[in-house]
């Protein structure tokens, strides 16, 4: 019961932090938002690829989902580098 409550409160704190950051992002200039998005996509792709690689260890057994996760992380990095993940402003 206490472990469940601890996890619950940790999740609430993480959600509160994400909410606080998202509210602050509304007041940031558009150029700064673009820089933050760029860093976000690189970190996201890198972490996705690293976690997929770690899930593939040890290499004695075939783990197709971990390999797919690794490839998706690499794909996000490559697509962002090529400019295919850019969010265009419709106005």
């Amino acid at each position: 019961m206490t472990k469940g409550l601890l996890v619950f409160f940790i999740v609430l704190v993480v959600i509160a932090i994400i909410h606080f950051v998202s509210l602050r992002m509304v007041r940031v200039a558009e150029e700064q938002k673009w820089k933050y998005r760029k860093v976000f996509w690189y970190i996201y792709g890198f972490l996705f690829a690293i976690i997929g690689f770690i899930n593939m260890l040890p290499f004695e057994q075939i783990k197709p989902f971990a390999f797919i996760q690794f490839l998706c992380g690499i794909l996000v990095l490559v697509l962002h580098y090529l400019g295919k993940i850019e969010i265009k402003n419709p106005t």
Side-chain angles (χ1 to χ4, degrees):
M1 177 76 176
T2 58
K3 287 182 183 179
L5 284 174
L6 178 65
V7 170
F8 175 71
F9 286 122
I10 289 172
V11 169
L12 282 180
V13 168
V14 169
I15 290 172
I17 291 170
I18 291 172
H19 180 67
F20 179 76
V21 169
S22 66
L23 287 177
R24 296 292 176 200
M25 288 297 292
V26 172
R27 295 183 225 164
V28 174
E30 193 62 36
E31 295 170 358
Q32 195 70 22
K33 285 182 189 178
W34 183 80
K35 290 179 185 178
Y36 288 151
R37 286 186 195 118
K38 184 176 181 179
V39 170
F40 167 78
W41 282 111
Y42 280 123
I43 291 173
Y44 181 78
F46 181 73
L47 286 177
F48 209 64
I50 292 297
I51 291 170
F53 183 77
I54 290 171
N55 287 336
M56 286 192 296
L57 296 176
F59 295 115
E60 299 159 353
Q61 186 179 7
I62 297 174
K63 299 175 185 169
F65 293 114
F67 185 69
I68 291 170
Q69 182 179 6
F70 176 73
L71 288 180
C72 286
I74 298 298
L75 182 69
V76 167
L77 289 172
V78 169
L79 288 177
H80 184 64
Y81 180 76
L82 295 175
K84 304 295 183 185
I85 301 182
E86 295 295 321
I87 299 172
K88 307 281 191 266
N89 194 356
T91 58

